[in-house]
Amino acid sequence: MHLVRVALDVPLPTLFDYRLEHTRRELIGARVLVPFGRGQRAGIILEVGGQPEVPPERIKRVAHVFADEAPLAPDVLQLMRFASRYYQHPIGQVVMGALPQALRRAHASRDASGRVVLTAAALAADWSTLPARALARRRVLEHLRAHGPCTPALVRSLASTAPRALRDLMADGWVAFEEAVPPGLEERVAHAATPGPALTAEQAEALEAIGGTLGRFTAWLLLGVTGSGKTEVYLRLIERVLARGGQVLVLVPEINLTPQLEARLAARFPGASLAGLHSGVPEAERLRRWRAAESGRASVLVGTRLAVFTPLPRLALIVVDEEHDASLKQQEGLRYSARDLAVLRAKQRQVPVVLGSATPSLESYAKALAGRYRLTHLSGRVSSQLPSIRCVDTRAQRLREGLSPALIDALARGLAASEQSLVFVNRRGYAPALLCFACGWSAPCPRCSARLVLHLGAARLRCHYCGHEELVTRACPSCGNLDLTPAGQGTQRIEYALAQLFPAARILRIDRDTTRSRRAFEQMRQRVQDHEVDILVGTQMLAKGHDFPRLTLVGVINADGALYSTDFRAAEKLFAQLTQVAGRAGRRDAAGEVLIQTQFPGHPLYRAVQRQDYAAFAQLALTERREAGFPPYAHQVLLRAEAPQREVVERFLGRAAHAGGRLGFRVEVYDPVPAPVARVAGRERGHLLVQSTSRNELQRFLAAWIPQLSDREARRVRWALDVDPLDL
Ligand SMILES: [Zn+2]
Ligand SMILES: [Zn+2]
């Protein structure tokens, strides 16, 4: 029997068997339509041949092979299989989830690129052996012989049964699908590159070093201070790759960062075909761009994490910008690290990968120190000095709505000199809590173990975890006190305070509340660039890579929380955030100034931030991690579970811990604990950490452990494994 095994978007860790006449290895990666349940589903053939796992008579036929679509490339399938295995996610969901929406559906995708061609087998065959009634097949063959390669659409229009004939001929190996690459594209690209700025000595050195490894696998860590011109190094590398006719994949952590980069690429390489892939691109356009990458027509693909799975036949370089950013790790479903998969993919394809950051993840930095990644530095800024960074000791000062006199003075000076300032507060809303000082009550979310955040304007209390909203109460529901106090500072409160202090200033708040749409963010960014804004108030949205040329002052409020967080990564995140936000200050002609308000001005972390000394911070943090046995010196897996009742979660995790402990692997199984926010939207959440110094041992443990998790009780909880978790 001819059997194919198909990946379907079904939450089961298995492939599904179907019959297909004329199976050939070339069908691996092909998209098919198969009967499933009462309907039909689209899937991808991953295996051909083999023995069925169910009685043969129960195996159904493949309903349709999308013969005019190119099969997924073997390297992409291999990457998907790895991701499924390593991150413990059903293979069918990995494969289908990585495709554009249109290809997950059970119908043909209209934008198939490329041509249908006759194969050598067809040319050598005796066409008179075709059955007499195979008129459509003859017609297709003869048309192709007479006119040469044709589009699938044209072939299908030759006769009413031509689509089926095309499919059969494809299955028989008489016709094949050939990717269309417009001739001469590479030459155009190479000549069209507009000249960039002169390189600094450090940039030139980095370019030579990395450029020297084109054509083979090398993982590079490009550690460059903010403003050191990492992007220019990327652009020069891309230029070299395009001149050789290669494709480049550029991964960025956030959709908001893509327009700037795309614009820069387009300006530098006006002749090149660029494609941006992220969730903001409309579906049909996304498919078109994916096809352009897959067929080799697009030379540069800029995308967010999912783009790592895009087929790229001429891939020659991968760049992962802001490689430390947590957004590169998916937090649900397939919980993969796009950065780690990018390194794997580079290795698979034998091409260099460049991980760029001013504050690399400690994982990547440790690999560089150990010689597994090559390290290259950009330690100086291209066109300005590093900002002067000062800590403002708030213990000795009277604050006005959270603002210190030193910061208020600096803001006033900035206004007088008509320069721009940024006040960075990592909380949106007016105040993170509404408190009653008479009895200690604070407005709780009824569905979460979290406090409600006060939002003015709408005069509402909102939960930032589940979205619950209620009107602000006038009196304490517990004691009747009429004097409720908003506690702490959010972006709204700072905005109001600044408006009172500087009535003439043009103030703009940028946070998730004011930028619900992507266009809103772009428009605001434009207003800042056009100098229609004097003072910006914003959350970490603003910290990432945005170039605001007139910004000379940055004030940081309420950063201390991370210093006493239970999350062992909190210090790393804070260092990265402060470095990024400080990096916004003083880009061009004016040296910038950064004021960090803190109660711990002598803390080693702030000292390292002040000196912009990543290496010093990393040494310190890595020593702590080594002593505590945390990543990167151990590998972790988190079993997350949630259910409406706490006892159910506790019982499930307790049994999982017990089962894991008895398996006898060299892993540490910790006790189950409630999640940091234990209840969200009425569901109790808990987790269990498993850790090992050996990645392989941990993977073997998972293989033995997972089957034991799915017992009857497990149906009452929603659980998931998070391999290499970033948030505990
Ligand atoms: Zn009260
Ligand atoms: Zn809530």
Side-chain angles (χ1 to χ4, degrees):
M1 165 154 59
H2 295 280
L3 203 68
V4 291
R5 312 203 65 212
V6 178
L8 295 175
D9 189 1
V10 172
L12 293 171
T14 181
L15 298 173
F16 296 85
D17 291 345
Y18 288 92
R19 286 168 198 264
L20 181 66
E21 306 307 320
H22 314 293
T23 56
R24 295 172 297 116
R25 290 203 55 78
E26 289 70 35
L27 284 171
I28 292 178
R31 200 163 74 94
V32 291
L33 203 58
V34 293
F36 189 88
R38 281 188 215 147
Q40 287 192 324
R41 284 187 190 228
I44 299 287
I45 296 178
L46 288 200
E47 291 169 20
V48 166
Q51 290 303 313
E53 282 172 6
V54 295
E57 63 276 11
R58 284 184 49 199
I59 298 180
K60 295 180 179 154
R61 276 175 185 283
V62 170
H64 180 70
V65 180
F66 293 105
D68 51 354
E69 296 173 17
L72 278 181
D75 68 305
V76 172
L77 294 176
Q78 201 191 333
L79 188 71
M80 291 168 169
R81 277 187 183 267
F82 171 85
S84 162
R85 216 168 42 236
Y86 184 77
Y87 294 107
Q88 305 291 340
H89 199 67
I91 178 70
Q93 294 192 314
V94 172
V95 172
M96 298 313 286
L99 300 180
Q101 275 289 343
L103 297 181
R104 299 179 207 173
R105 298 228 191 83
H107 55 64
S109 71
R110 255 159 273 129
D111 191 316
S113 62
R115 297 270 187 276
V116 177
V117 296
L118 287 177
T119 62
L123 294 169
D126 178 3
W127 293 8
S128 65
T129 60
L130 283 170
R133 56 194 166 72
L135 289 174
R137 272 191 266 177
R138 281 171 195 281
R139 189 135 171 210
V140 169
L141 290 171
E142 266 146 27
H143 188 90
L144 289 172
R145 185 160 60 187
H147 301 278
C150 295
T151 64
L154 192 147
V155 172
R156 278 195 300 262
S157 69
L158 291 172
S160 63
T161 52
R164 171 130 195 218
L166 180 62
R167 202 162 71 224
D168 293 345
L169 288 168
M170 194 100 173
D172 287 339
W174 284 42
V175 302
F177 186 78
E178 202 176 70
E179 293 307 340
V181 181
L185 181 67
E186 294 76 32
E187 287 82 347
R188 259 199 306 136
V189 167
H191 293 303
T194 49
L199 296 182
T200 64
E202 280 185 324
Q203 283 175 321
E205 210 172 296
L207 174 66
E208 283 320 308
I210 301 169
T213 60
L214 285 175
R216 64 177 194 268
F217 169 67
T218 311
W220 286 95
L221 184 59
L222 176 57
L223 169 50
V225 298
T226 54
S228 62
K230 288 186 287 296
T231 309
E232 186 57 35
V233 175
Y234 305 154
L235 292 175
R236 298 295 179 112
L237 285 166
I238 291 170
E239 187 178 346
R240 288 190 183 191
V241 170
L242 295 182
R244 294 163 158 223
Q247 283 177 299
V248 185
L249 170 64
V250 184
L251 294 176
V252 292
E254 266 203 44
I255 174 173
N256 281 330
L257 292 173
T258 56
Q260 275 187 94
L261 186 58
E262 281 177 52
R264 230 171 131 178
L265 282 162
R268 184 65 69 85
F269 308 113
S273 165
L274 311 172
L277 264 192
H278 50 72
S279 59
V281 179
E283 211 183 288
E285 178 60 15
R286 213 159 152 185
L287 176 65
R288 202 188 62 75
R289 294 182 186 184
W290 190 88
R291 289 267 190 237
E294 181 202 30
S295 65
R297 279 172 296 149
S299 303
V300 184
L301 181 68
V302 182
T304 44
R305 54 182 182 252
L306 197 59
V308 76
F309 291 107
T310 312
L312 293 156
R314 293 181 286 113
L315 181 65
L317 171 70
I318 304 178
V319 174
V320 183
D321 195 23
E322 308 293 345
E323 70 90 37
H324 64 280
D325 198 298
S327 307
L328 287 166
K329 173 108 195 278
Q330 169 117 328
Q331 299 293 355
E332 58 191 26
L334 174 66
R335 294 166 188 258
Y336 66 104
S337 157
R339 175 197 63 213
D340 294 352
L341 288 183
V343 174
L344 186 79
R345 188 155 190 211
K347 191 167 182 184
Q348 202 184 34
R349 296 288 296 263
Q350 287 296 304
V351 301
V353 55
V354 182
L355 311 179
S357 176
T359 54
S361 65
L362 289 173
E363 280 80 359
S364 296
Y365 190 62
K367 282 180 184 154
L369 292 182
R372 291 177 57 196
Y373 291 176
R374 287 179 68 181
L375 185 61
T376 176
H377 282 276
L378 301 176
S379 56
R381 279 192 161 189
V382 173
S383 58
S384 64
Q385 297 159 357
L386 283 168
S388 87
I389 303 176
R390 218 152 41 89
C391 282
V392 177
D393 187 348
T394 53
R395 289 169 306 183
Q397 306 210 17
R398 265 181 66 94
L399 303 183
R400 278 182 75 174
E401 295 286 335
L403 300 166
S404 63
L407 179 55
I408 293 170
D409 277 358
L411 288 166
R413 280 200 309 274
L415 278 172
S418 67
E419 284 165 358
Q420 281 178 332
S421 305
L422 161 65
V423 179
F424 176 74
V425 200
N426 221 349
R427 276 176 170 152
R428 65 196 166 88
Y430 184 81
L434 185 63
L435 300 181
C436 169
F437 281 129
C439 75
W441 174 89
S442 75
C445 174
R447 308 168 68 210
C448 306
S449 47
R451 284 171 171 164
L452 294 175
V453 177
L454 178 61
H455 284 253
L456 286 195
R460 275 167 194 272
L461 292 163
R462 277 192 199 137
C463 175
H464 284 189
Y465 292 92
C466 73
H468 169 85
E469 272 196 18
E470 53 189 67
L471 284 169
V472 178
T473 47
R474 291 197 174 275
C476 170
S478 168
C479 73
N481 174 18
L482 286 172
D483 191 15
L484 297 179
T485 311
Q489 281 86 32
T491 45
Q492 266 189 340
R493 190 171 198 170
I494 297 298
E495 183 191 11
Y496 287 129
L498 290 169
Q500 305 252 295
L501 285 164
F502 307 110
R506 297 164 300 174
I507 300 169
L508 179 68
R509 171 163 61 91
I510 300 189
D511 58 24
R512 279 234 308 277
D513 294 321
T514 62
T515 55
R516 293 272 170 218
S517 75
R518 183 159 166 253
R519 280 195 52 181
F521 183 83
E522 269 308 296
Q523 284 163 357
M524 288 185 176
R525 204 170 64 81
Q526 198 55 51
R527 283 178 59 195
V528 179
Q529 296 222 320
D530 295 346
H531 207 176
E532 290 172 14
V533 176
D534 300 312
I535 304 177
L536 271 159
V537 179
T539 55
Q540 59 173 354
M541 282 187 85
L542 281 178
K544 293 181 183 178
H546 301 289
D547 189 0
F548 296 127
R550 291 170 193 274
L551 196 66
T552 50
L553 171 69
V554 172
V556 178
I557 290 175
N558 292 344
D560 288 343
L563 299 178
Y564 35 87
S565 163
T566 52
D567 175 3
F568 72 87
R569 287 185 213 272
E572 181 183 357
K573 288 175 193 162
L574 178 62
F575 184 85
Q577 206 169 64
L578 292 177
T579 303
Q580 297 291 335
V581 75
R584 303 303 122 226
R587 284 260 166 174
R588 296 276 148 83
D589 41 4
E593 185 182 8
V594 181
L595 298 179
I596 301 173
Q597 295 190 176
T598 172
Q599 300 192 29
F600 308 94
H603 195 285
L605 187 142
Y606 289 135
R607 289 227 201 93
V609 171
Q610 275 175 281
R611 291 195 309 266
Q612 293 284 282
D613 192 348
Y614 171 80
F617 164 76
Q619 286 295 356
L620 200 72
L622 283 173
T623 307
E624 281 175 17
R625 297 273 186 98
R626 192 196 297 270
E627 280 163 8
F630 281 140
Y633 302 101
H635 305 284
Q636 297 183 325
V637 171
L638 200 65
L639 173 61
R640 300 175 187 274
E642 59 172 73
Q645 307 82 19
R646 174 127 306 268
E647 321 81 72
V648 174
V649 174
E650 280 170 3
R651 249 196 334 265
F652 170 77
L653 290 175
R655 273 209 318 283
H658 184 67
R662 280 183 320 178
L663 286 171
F665 286 86
R666 281 182 294 114
V667 299
E668 278 175 88
V669 180
Y670 286 81
D671 289 333
V673 291
V677 181
R679 191 162 49 98
V680 170
R683 297 180 69 86
E684 301 287 341
R685 309 188 305 169
H687 59 230
L688 168 63
L689 181 67
V690 183
Q691 170 170 316
S692 174
T693 51
S694 159
R695 215 185 267 281
N696 286 337
E697 184 77 356
L698 195 55
Q699 285 285 321
R700 278 196 295 275
F701 166 81
L702 290 180
W705 190 42
I706 290 167
Q708 305 202 8
L709 298 178
S710 314
D711 58 10
R712 268 175 62 201
E713 185 82 6
R715 282 183 219 151
R716 299 175 60 195
V717 296
R718 197 186 295 160
W719 61 270
L721 283 163
D722 191 347
V723 179
D724 305 330
L726 286 185
D727 290 305
L728 295 191

